[in-house]
Amino acid sequence: MDFYYKPLSSLILATLLLSSISLGEATKKGGVTVDLIRGDSPLSPSYDPSTTHFERLRSSFRRSISRQSSLRSASFKSASKSPDSFEATLTPIGGEYLIKVSIGTPPVEILAIADTGSDLTWTQCVPCTQCYKQRAPLFDPTKTTTYRSVSCTSQQCQSLGSESSSCDRSNGCLYQVSYGDSSYSNGDLAVETLTFNSSTTQESVAFPKVVFGCGHNNDGTFNETGSGIVGLGGGSVSIVRQLETTIGGKFSYCLTTLDSKVSSKISFGPNAIVTGPGVASTPLVKKSPDTFYYLTLEGVSVGNEALAYIFFANSNSKSSVEEGNIIIDSGTTLTYLPRSLYNGLESTLEKSISGRRVADPQGLFGLCYELPSNGEFNAPPIIAHFTGADLELTQESTFLEVEKGVVCFTFVPSEDLAILGNLHQMNFLIGYDLENQKVDFFPTNCSKTQ
């Protein structure tokens, strides 16, 4: 590993130091599990009690639209780039899920966006040429004993690709990432100790020598609550890939429902293994860009066997379905389907639902109904058929009250990139196994299985 050491100024010692264990020790105990905090929930520091439930929903939907556009753009760009080039893919408007992580020695806690559609982990640092407003103090690399800059000739720097890295006068590696909404982060590529506080054992688990970006020039639509991004994508610089040997290439999360008072969880290592009766597994498909987690959706069915089985993109059989035709993403709220598949699904649902159809006041959703006076809306179950895994989606997620008295179908059509969003991942324990190239789903009540 090729590093050079950046001189450190005098250290200011913290009065309290976290007692931490190594990731190896944590792995022997089952790994590490930490909280995932939805950005608009009462558990988030950015929660605004003056906004209504419906206003928060609409804000989440708007972020979902922007993010899908950004991911689509990154997907198309990757087709024309060299295999080793690195492209950031997140539209970080607010962030759907936040994660607490400490950086450095002594550790300094930050709150960052946890993102499966992004690779590079970075935070805002001093000195700051241009930084967006954040509530927490900026990370100061001169006040930690474990910060090391990465040289321009190192493998870590080369993994970013020539379009996302450059060299400074001291042969240090500089990174540049930009996002679909014109947000960006530029700074020094470095290694540092990241520490997570386990929500199950209350122990602090240290991840040494993690490659991250120390951002000195950052701006855009980032929320002032967050101090950066924790990249959980499939690319080589994501923390999942960097820690692959120690955690066995495994992580999982369990997302609670929108009205839950309990935080979601994410686990790394043995704790992340999803096994047992009722687990459905589907292969991960390798495609470009490698940041994304691609699955194969073969079709969708509605209700019982008497209703039509709608094949993906109106193909004639499972054998003609393109592999890796949908990505699973924790940062997108809604689920996006190709228009041909969506149209067939909407038509089938309309025939099987008795109710007064109304227009979505905001014009986003195509299939909406008036909520009955008794507050009970009935719709047939929807089953998403992935290769080897049939997932029955709950009505609470497929039809949502988006305005007072208006219930809408929470799938939307897409002309290109298909995405399984987090709304339809809620109340599933979802395990990513990069070693065996699969994703496991287990239906559960995430609020009660914490």
Side-chain angles (χ1 to χ4, degrees), residues 212-242:
F212 84 113
C214 196
H216 303 293
N217 184 5
N218 327 284
D219 206 358
T221 58
F222 300 102
N223 189 289
E224 65 180 38
T225 301
S227 302
I229 291 169
V230 173
L232 300 171
S236 60
V237 296
S238 79
I239 63 169
V240 177
R241 287 295 187 185
Q242 291 188 61

PDB file of all heavy atoms in Angstrom, residues 212-242:
ATOM      1  N   PHE A 212     -11.195   7.550   2.441  1.00  0.00           N
ATOM      2  CA  PHE A 212     -12.319   8.482   2.432  1.00  0.00           C
ATOM      3  C   PHE A 212     -11.866   9.809   1.836  1.00  0.00           C
ATOM      4  O   PHE A 212     -10.673  10.049   1.624  1.00  0.00           O
ATOM      5  CB  PHE A 212     -12.871   8.679   3.854  1.00  0.00           C
ATOM      6  CG  PHE A 212     -12.142   9.711   4.678  1.00  0.00           C
ATOM      7  CD1 PHE A 212     -12.766  10.893   5.057  1.00  0.00           C
ATOM      8  CD2 PHE A 212     -10.821   9.519   5.062  1.00  0.00           C
ATOM      9  CE1 PHE A 212     -12.108  11.852   5.815  1.00  0.00           C
ATOM     10  CE2 PHE A 212     -10.153  10.465   5.824  1.00  0.00           C
ATOM     11  CZ  PHE A 212     -10.800  11.633   6.203  1.00  0.00           C
ATOM     12  N   GLY A 213     -12.821  10.662   1.563  1.00  0.00           N
ATOM     13  CA  GLY A 213     -12.523  11.980   1.028  1.00  0.00           C
ATOM     14  C   GLY A 213     -12.631  13.037   2.103  1.00  0.00           C
ATOM     15  O   GLY A 213     -13.632  13.104   2.826  1.00  0.00           O
ATOM     16  N   CYS A 214     -11.583  13.844   2.226  1.00  0.00           N
ATOM     17  CA  CYS A 214     -11.585  14.974   3.159  1.00  0.00           C
ATOM     18  C   CYS A 214     -11.892  16.210   2.320  1.00  0.00           C
ATOM     19  O   CYS A 214     -11.018  16.767   1.646  1.00  0.00           O
ATOM     20  CB  CYS A 214     -10.214  15.071   3.833  1.00  0.00           C
ATOM     21  SG  CYS A 214     -10.161  16.082   5.325  1.00  0.00           S
ATOM     22  N   GLY A 215     -13.172  16.613   2.311  1.00  0.00           N
ATOM     23  CA  GLY A 215     -13.639  17.627   1.378  1.00  0.00           C
ATOM     24  C   GLY A 215     -13.372  19.051   1.831  1.00  0.00           C
ATOM     25  O   GLY A 215     -13.808  19.473   2.906  1.00  0.00           O
ATOM     26  N   HIS A 216     -12.670  19.803   0.977  1.00  0.00           N
ATOM     27  CA  HIS A 216     -12.375  21.212   1.264  1.00  0.00           C
ATOM     28  C   HIS A 216     -13.202  22.166   0.397  1.00  0.00           C
ATOM     29  O   HIS A 216     -13.197  23.372   0.628  1.00  0.00           O
ATOM     30  CB  HIS A 216     -10.883  21.494   1.050  1.00  0.00           C
ATOM     31  CG  HIS A 216      -9.982  20.628   1.874  1.00  0.00           C
ATOM     32  ND1 HIS A 216      -9.926  20.718   3.244  1.00  0.00           N
ATOM     33  CD2 HIS A 216      -9.123  19.642   1.530  1.00  0.00           C
ATOM     34  CE1 HIS A 216      -9.051  19.832   3.718  1.00  0.00           C
ATOM     35  NE2 HIS A 216      -8.558  19.160   2.690  1.00  0.00           N
ATOM     36  N   ASN A 217     -13.875  21.610  -0.608  1.00  0.00           N
ATOM     37  CA  ASN A 217     -14.676  22.429  -1.522  1.00  0.00           C
ATOM     38  C   ASN A 217     -15.944  21.646  -1.851  1.00  0.00           C
ATOM     39  O   ASN A 217     -15.935  20.760  -2.702  1.00  0.00           O
ATOM     40  CB  ASN A 217     -13.871  22.726  -2.793  1.00  0.00           C
ATOM     41  CG  ASN A 217     -14.601  23.662  -3.743  1.00  0.00           C
ATOM     42  OD1 ASN A 217     -15.669  24.176  -3.426  1.00  0.00           O
ATOM     43  ND2 ASN A 217     -14.031  23.872  -4.915  1.00  0.00           N
ATOM     44  N   ASN A 218     -17.025  21.977  -1.139  1.00  0.00           N
ATOM     45  CA  ASN A 218     -18.261  21.206  -1.256  1.00  0.00           C
ATOM     46  C   ASN A 218     -19.453  22.156  -1.290  1.00  0.00           C
ATOM     47  O   ASN A 218     -19.507  23.116  -0.522  1.00  0.00           O
ATOM     48  CB  ASN A 218     -18.435  20.261  -0.057  1.00  0.00           C
ATOM     49  CG  ASN A 218     -17.116  19.735   0.475  1.00  0.00           C
ATOM     50  OD1 ASN A 218     -16.515  18.859  -0.132  1.00  0.00           O
ATOM     51  ND2 ASN A 218     -16.654  20.272   1.599  1.00  0.00           N
ATOM     52  N   ASP A 219     -20.410  21.859  -2.156  1.00  0.00           N
ATOM     53  CA  ASP A 219     -21.579  22.731  -2.208  1.00  0.00           C
ATOM     54  C   ASP A 219     -22.698  22.026  -2.970  1.00  0.00           C
ATOM     55  O   ASP A 219     -22.482  20.998  -3.609  1.00  0.00           O
ATOM     56  CB  ASP A 219     -21.244  24.056  -2.892  1.00  0.00           C
ATOM     57  CG  ASP A 219     -22.158  25.186  -2.433  1.00  0.00           C
ATOM     58  OD1 ASP A 219     -23.071  24.925  -1.618  1.00  0.00           O
ATOM     59  OD2 ASP A 219     -21.965  26.326  -2.886  1.00  0.00           O
ATOM     60  N   GLY A 220     -23.890  22.598  -2.846  1.00  0.00           N
ATOM     61  CA  GLY A 220     -25.038  22.037  -3.546  1.00  0.00           C
ATOM     62  C   GLY A 220     -26.253  21.970  -2.655  1.00  0.00           C
ATOM     63  O   GLY A 220     -26.472  22.842  -1.811  1.00  0.00           O
ATOM     64  N   THR A 221     -27.021  20.911  -2.797  1.00  0.00           N
ATOM     65  CA  THR A 221     -28.304  20.794  -2.109  1.00  0.00           C
ATOM     66  C   THR A 221     -28.230  19.955  -0.844  1.00  0.00           C
ATOM     67  O   THR A 221     -29.235  19.420  -0.387  1.00  0.00           O
ATOM     68  CB  THR A 221     -29.353  20.182  -3.062  1.00  0.00           C
ATOM     69  OG1 THR A 221     -28.881  18.906  -3.520  1.00  0.00           O
ATOM     70  CG2 THR A 221     -29.597  21.076  -4.255  1.00  0.00           C
ATOM     71  N   PHE A 222     -27.047  19.812  -0.276  1.00  0.00           N
ATOM     72  CA  PHE A 222     -26.890  19.022   0.942  1.00  0.00           C
ATOM     73  C   PHE A 222     -27.612  19.693   2.105  1.00  0.00           C
ATOM     74  O   PHE A 222     -27.608  20.913   2.240  1.00  0.00           O
ATOM     75  CB  PHE A 222     -25.407  18.856   1.292  1.00  0.00           C
ATOM     76  CG  PHE A 222     -24.604  18.170   0.231  1.00  0.00           C
ATOM     77  CD1 PHE A 222     -23.799  18.892  -0.626  1.00  0.00           C
ATOM     78  CD2 PHE A 222     -24.653  16.790   0.084  1.00  0.00           C
ATOM     79  CE1 PHE A 222     -23.049  18.275  -1.605  1.00  0.00           C
ATOM     80  CE2 PHE A 222     -23.914  16.156  -0.888  1.00  0.00           C
ATOM     81  CZ  PHE A 222     -23.110  16.900  -1.747  1.00  0.00           C
ATOM     82  N   ASN A 223     -28.205  18.861   2.967  1.00  0.00           N
ATOM     83  CA  ASN A 223     -28.885  19.352   4.158  1.00  0.00           C
ATOM     84  C   ASN A 223     -27.853  19.677   5.232  1.00  0.00           C
ATOM     85  O   ASN A 223     -26.859  18.980   5.383  1.00  0.00           O
ATOM     86  CB  ASN A 223     -29.867  18.280   4.654  1.00  0.00           C
ATOM     87  CG  ASN A 223     -30.768  18.779   5.761  1.00  0.00           C
ATOM     88  OD1 ASN A 223     -30.319  19.002   6.879  1.00  0.00           O
ATOM     89  ND2 ASN A 223     -32.046  18.928   5.448  1.00  0.00           N
ATOM     90  N   GLU A 224     -28.087  20.724   6.012  1.00  0.00           N
ATOM     91  CA  GLU A 224     -27.118  21.150   7.020  1.00  0.00           C
ATOM     92  C   GLU A 224     -26.975  20.144   8.164  1.00  0.00           C
ATOM     93  O   GLU A 224     -26.017  20.208   8.923  1.00  0.00           O
ATOM     94  CB  GLU A 224     -27.487  22.515   7.580  1.00  0.00           C
ATOM     95  CG  GLU A 224     -28.783  22.562   8.356  1.00  0.00           C
ATOM     96  CD  GLU A 224     -29.090  23.960   8.885  1.00  0.00           C
ATOM     97  OE1 GLU A 224     -28.822  24.946   8.168  1.00  0.00           O
ATOM     98  OE2 GLU A 224     -29.594  24.049  10.017  1.00  0.00           O
ATOM     99  N   THR A 225     -27.907  19.192   8.268  1.00  0.00           N
ATOM    100  CA  THR A 225     -27.786  18.161   9.295  1.00  0.00           C
ATOM    101  C   THR A 225     -26.657  17.198   8.988  1.00  0.00           C
ATOM    102  O   THR A 225     -25.946  16.744   9.874  1.00  0.00           O
ATOM    103  CB  THR A 225     -29.100  17.372   9.408  1.00  0.00           C
ATOM    104  OG1 THR A 225     -30.151  18.282   9.739  1.00  0.00           O
ATOM    105  CG2 THR A 225     -29.004  16.312  10.496  1.00  0.00           C
ATOM    106  N   GLY A 226     -26.490  16.854   7.713  1.00  0.00           N
ATOM    107  CA  GLY A 226     -25.489  15.878   7.308  1.00  0.00           C
ATOM    108  C   GLY A 226     -24.123  16.494   7.091  1.00  0.00           C
ATOM    109  O   GLY A 226     -24.003  17.637   6.663  1.00  0.00           O
ATOM    110  N   SER A 227     -23.083  15.711   7.397  1.00  0.00           N
ATOM    111  CA  SER A 227     -21.708  16.196   7.240  1.00  0.00           C
ATOM    112  C   SER A 227     -20.973  15.490   6.110  1.00  0.00           C
ATOM    113  O   SER A 227     -19.770  15.589   6.003  1.00  0.00           O
ATOM    114  CB  SER A 227     -20.934  15.981   8.548  1.00  0.00           C
ATOM    115  OG  SER A 227     -21.563  16.638   9.621  1.00  0.00           O
ATOM    116  N   GLY A 228     -21.706  14.749   5.275  1.00  0.00           N
ATOM    117  CA  GLY A 228     -21.059  14.037   4.197  1.00  0.00           C
ATOM    118  C   GLY A 228     -21.830  12.786   3.827  1.00  0.00           C
ATOM    119  O   GLY A 228     -23.045  12.692   4.036  1.00  0.00           O
ATOM    120  N   ILE A 229     -21.129  11.801   3.273  1.00  0.00           N
ATOM    121  CA  ILE A 229     -21.754  10.589   2.751  1.00  0.00           C
ATOM    122  C   ILE A 229     -20.971   9.359   3.194  1.00  0.00           C
ATOM    123  O   ILE A 229     -19.741   9.382   3.225  1.00  0.00           O
ATOM    124  CB  ILE A 229     -21.807  10.638   1.210  1.00  0.00           C
ATOM    125  CG1 ILE A 229     -22.796  11.714   0.751  1.00  0.00           C
ATOM    126  CG2 ILE A 229     -22.183   9.289   0.609  1.00  0.00           C
ATOM    127  CD1 ILE A 229     -22.732  12.016  -0.725  1.00  0.00           C
ATOM    128  N   VAL A 230     -21.682   8.292   3.558  1.00  0.00           N
ATOM    129  CA  VAL A 230     -21.084   6.975   3.778  1.00  0.00           C
ATOM    130  C   VAL A 230     -21.484   6.111   2.589  1.00  0.00           C
ATOM    131  O   VAL A 230     -22.664   5.787   2.419  1.00  0.00           O
ATOM    132  CB  VAL A 230     -21.548   6.336   5.098  1.00  0.00           C
ATOM    133  CG1 VAL A 230     -21.041   4.900   5.195  1.00  0.00           C
ATOM    134  CG2 VAL A 230     -21.043   7.145   6.287  1.00  0.00           C
ATOM    135  N   GLY A 231     -20.520   5.764   1.738  1.00  0.00           N
ATOM    136  CA  GLY A 231     -20.795   5.028   0.521  1.00  0.00           C
ATOM    137  C   GLY A 231     -20.921   3.534   0.750  1.00  0.00           C
ATOM    138  O   GLY A 231     -19.983   2.890   1.211  1.00  0.00           O
ATOM    139  N   LEU A 232     -22.096   2.979   0.422  1.00  0.00           N
ATOM    140  CA  LEU A 232     -22.379   1.556   0.620  1.00  0.00           C
ATOM    141  C   LEU A 232     -22.593   0.827  -0.706  1.00  0.00           C
ATOM    142  O   LEU A 232     -23.162  -0.256  -0.746  1.00  0.00           O
ATOM    143  CB  LEU A 232     -23.614   1.385   1.498  1.00  0.00           C
ATOM    144  CG  LEU A 232     -23.548   1.986   2.902  1.00  0.00           C
ATOM    145  CD1 LEU A 232     -24.915   1.942   3.571  1.00  0.00           C
ATOM    146  CD2 LEU A 232     -22.524   1.256   3.757  1.00  0.00           C
ATOM    147  N   GLY A 233     -22.149   1.436  -1.814  1.00  0.00           N
ATOM    148  CA  GLY A 233     -22.339   0.845  -3.125  1.00  0.00           C
ATOM    149  C   GLY A 233     -21.412  -0.337  -3.366  1.00  0.00           C
ATOM    150  O   GLY A 233     -20.698  -0.799  -2.473  1.00  0.00           O
ATOM    151  N   GLY A 234     -21.413  -0.823  -4.590  1.00  0.00           N
ATOM    152  CA  GLY A 234     -20.642  -2.008  -4.934  1.00  0.00           C
ATOM    153  C   GLY A 234     -19.281  -1.715  -5.532  1.00  0.00           C
ATOM    154  O   GLY A 234     -18.554  -2.651  -5.891  1.00  0.00           O
ATOM    155  N   GLY A 235     -18.901  -0.430  -5.670  1.00  0.00           N
ATOM    156  CA  GLY A 235     -17.617  -0.070  -6.248  1.00  0.00           C
ATOM    157  C   GLY A 235     -16.454  -0.289  -5.303  1.00  0.00           C
ATOM    158  O   GLY A 235     -16.632  -0.457  -4.089  1.00  0.00           O
ATOM    159  N   SER A 236     -15.242  -0.242  -5.832  1.00  0.00           N
ATOM    160  CA  SER A 236     -14.055  -0.642  -5.067  1.00  0.00           C
ATOM    161  C   SER A 236     -13.742   0.256  -3.880  1.00  0.00           C
ATOM    162  O   SER A 236     -13.109  -0.179  -2.920  1.00  0.00           O
ATOM    163  CB  SER A 236     -12.834  -0.694  -5.993  1.00  0.00           C
ATOM    164  OG  SER A 236     -12.586   0.569  -6.586  1.00  0.00           O
ATOM    165  N   VAL A 237     -14.160   1.532  -3.900  1.00  0.00           N
ATOM    166  CA  VAL A 237     -13.828   2.418  -2.783  1.00  0.00           C
ATOM    167  C   VAL A 237     -14.933   2.501  -1.731  1.00  0.00           C
ATOM    168  O   VAL A 237     -14.784   3.210  -0.739  1.00  0.00           O
ATOM    169  CB  VAL A 237     -13.485   3.847  -3.274  1.00  0.00           C
ATOM    170  CG1 VAL A 237     -12.239   3.845  -4.125  1.00  0.00           C
ATOM    171  CG2 VAL A 237     -14.663   4.467  -4.010  1.00  0.00           C
ATOM    172  N   SER A 238     -16.042   1.785  -1.936  1.00  0.00           N
ATOM    173  CA  SER A 238     -17.088   1.803  -0.911  1.00  0.00           C
ATOM    174  C   SER A 238     -16.589   1.084   0.332  1.00  0.00           C
ATOM    175  O   SER A 238     -15.706   0.223   0.254  1.00  0.00           O
ATOM    176  CB  SER A 238     -18.369   1.132  -1.425  1.00  0.00           C
ATOM    177  OG  SER A 238     -18.261  -0.276  -1.361  1.00  0.00           O
ATOM    178  N   ILE A 239     -17.148   1.418   1.499  1.00  0.00           N
ATOM    179  CA  ILE A 239     -16.669   0.771   2.722  1.00  0.00           C
ATOM    180  C   ILE A 239     -17.034  -0.709   2.738  1.00  0.00           C
ATOM    181  O   ILE A 239     -16.355  -1.517   3.369  1.00  0.00           O
ATOM    182  CB  ILE A 239     -17.189   1.475   4.003  1.00  0.00           C
ATOM    183  CG1 ILE A 239     -18.710   1.415   4.100  1.00  0.00           C
ATOM    184  CG2 ILE A 239     -16.700   2.907   4.074  1.00  0.00           C
ATOM    185  CD1 ILE A 239     -19.222   1.865   5.457  1.00  0.00           C
ATOM    186  N   VAL A 240     -18.090  -1.078   2.012  1.00  0.00           N
ATOM    187  CA  VAL A 240     -18.456  -2.498   1.939  1.00  0.00           C
ATOM    188  C   VAL A 240     -17.350  -3.279   1.243  1.00  0.00           C
ATOM    189  O   VAL A 240     -16.962  -4.368   1.677  1.00  0.00           O
ATOM    190  CB  VAL A 240     -19.793  -2.667   1.196  1.00  0.00           C
ATOM    191  CG1 VAL A 240     -20.130  -4.150   1.049  1.00  0.00           C
ATOM    192  CG2 VAL A 240     -20.911  -1.950   1.932  1.00  0.00           C
ATOM    193  N   ARG A 241     -16.824  -2.742   0.143  1.00  0.00           N
ATOM    194  CA  ARG A 241     -15.758  -3.412  -0.586  1.00  0.00           C
ATOM    195  C   ARG A 241     -14.430  -3.337   0.174  1.00  0.00           C
ATOM    196  O   ARG A 241     -13.663  -4.294   0.194  1.00  0.00           O
ATOM    197  CB  ARG A 241     -15.598  -2.789  -1.966  1.00  0.00           C
ATOM    198  CG  ARG A 241     -16.705  -3.148  -2.933  1.00  0.00           C
ATOM    199  CD  ARG A 241     -16.723  -4.623  -3.247  1.00  0.00           C
ATOM    200  NE  ARG A 241     -17.679  -4.944  -4.309  1.00  0.00           N
ATOM    201  CZ  ARG A 241     -17.963  -6.174  -4.700  1.00  0.00           C
ATOM    202  NH1 ARG A 241     -17.400  -7.212  -4.094  1.00  0.00           N
ATOM    203  NH2 ARG A 241     -18.831  -6.385  -5.667  1.00  0.00           N
ATOM    204  N   GLN A 242     -14.151  -2.200   0.799  1.00  0.00           N
ATOM    205  CA  GLN A 242     -12.893  -2.062   1.534  1.00  0.00           C
ATOM    206  C   GLN A 242     -12.810  -3.034   2.706  1.00  0.00           C
ATOM    207  O   GLN A 242     -11.736  -3.521   3.048  1.00  0.00           O
ATOM    208  CB  GLN A 242     -12.735  -0.625   2.046  1.00  0.00           C
ATOM    209  CG  GLN A 242     -12.497   0.406   0.956  1.00  0.00           C
ATOM    210  CD  GLN A 242     -12.148   1.758   1.549  1.00  0.00           C
ATOM    211  OE1 GLN A 242     -11.158   1.903   2.253  1.00  0.00           O
ATOM    212  NE2 GLN A 242     -12.972   2.756   1.268  1.00  0.00           N
TER     213      GLN A 242
END
